[in-house]
Amino acid sequence: MKSLELKVPPVLVVAVVAGLMWLTAHYTEAFNQFYVGQHAAAIFLLALGVLLPLLGVIGFRRAQTTVDPRDPAKSTELVTTGIYQRTRNPMYLGFFFLLMAWGVFLGSVFSLWGLALYVAYMNRFQIIPEERILTETFGETYKDYCQKTGRWW
């Protein structure tokens, strides 16, 4: 399973999970629920899903370090300011909110299993390997940062 570590771009993971969520909603259509405020909730979650990754990219660009999640060894700067004071992974957290918005939009409680799949995959194959490399790269500074700032929130 180590062969999957840092190989699949997170955006592709989101697309696959979104597709699985749609399939789930489609095949459990009889259980889908639509309610007042559903679209407003989906739009709010969508806004979070766009804003958090954007803030993350801005933070990386300001620090002039790589945004490519497949090669964290190219990181030249440990970014701990801005949104990174609140979460170590604002881009992945934003993608989580995008998927949540999609589930709310679909009106399918059953499709929300995709959120658990996304978090499990990202933790195992993206975040933990990134953390291992960033610890090797930045040492105690990164360990201290991890103690102060949550992985997801």
Side-chain angles (χ1 to χ4, degrees), residues 37-48:
Q38 176 179 352
H39 287 115
I43 290 168
F44 174 76
L45 293 167
L46 176 68
L48 281 176

Side-chain angles (χ1 to χ4, degrees), residues 25 50 107 134 137:
V50 170
L134 292 173
T137 304

Side-chain angles (χ1 to χ4, degrees), residues 120-137:
Y121 182 91
M122 292 302 291
N123 278 336
R124 169 65 181 87
F125 296 107
Q126 189 67 41
I127 295 173
I128 290 172
E130 280 180 6
E131 290 174 344
R132 184 176 60 242
I133 292 167
L134 292 173
T135 299
E136 291 169 8
T137 304

Side-chain angles (χ1 to χ4, degrees), residues 5-23:
E5 288 185 356
L6 303 171
K7 296 291 190 265
V8 181
V11 172
L12 182 58
V13 174
V14 170
V16 168
V17 171
L20 293 171
M21 290 171 70
W22 179 85
L23 284 171

